[in-house]
Amino acid sequence: MATSECSMKKFVGWTVVKPGGATACLDGDFEFVVYPGDPGRLLFHLHGGGACWNWMTFLLGKCTKKSPMKPTGIFNVTNPNNPFYNWTLVDVPYCSGDVFSGATENFWIMPQQTASAWKSQAGYANVNSVLDWVKVQFAGAVPALRTLS
């Protein structure tokens, strides 16, 4: 992921990055989106969401699933009045129901289930994969950035 084939220098407009590795969402693969701009200015956005602690909270829809980022407000990259106009934007979805801190697999069987009963809560790996990618892309341009490892 942090190699030349996933270099922000090749991005044009909003680009999906799929880091792979130990990353995962409750409903599939983890991915984040990037809008390349000024490499000296970074807006790093973590989506909010609900916590999911057992199969009942999952069944009741209390866990947040991947949702598309809406290109409005600070994410409207075409608006010159936007205070983050021409900044590089990294948008990290909240899709693992674990407050970006989980590292576990749960076996949650639900009625009429068609997907796998195994649900990954890999929020810690998800956010660290994004931070690792950002550190490579900015190579010293954001010296205060540190990972949680």
Side-chain angles (χ1 to χ4, degrees), residues 8-33:
M8 189 173 63
K9 293 175 185 173
K10 297 180 179 181
F11 293 178
V12 177
W14 287 105
T15 303
V16 174
V17 178
K18 299 179 181 184
T23 65
C25 291
L26 287 168
D27 59 352
D29 295 334
F30 172 73
E31 56 190 37
F32 61 97
V33 294

Side-chain angles (χ1 to χ4, degrees), residues 1 9 11 41 52 55 69 71 75 101 104 120 132:
M1 175 199 56
K9 293 175 185 173
F11 293 178
R41 295 177 173 208
C52 189
W55 74 272
M69 181 270 306
F75 298 107
S101 61
T104 190
S120 293
D132 288 345

Side-chain angles (χ1 to χ4, degrees), residues 26 47-53 57 61-65 94-100 121:
L26 287 168
H47 282 234
C52 189
W53 307 117
T57 55
K62 300 300 179 187
C63 315
T64 301
K65 305 277 180 102
Y94 178 67
C95 64
S96 54
D98 59 9
V99 197
F100 292 109
Q121 290 190 288

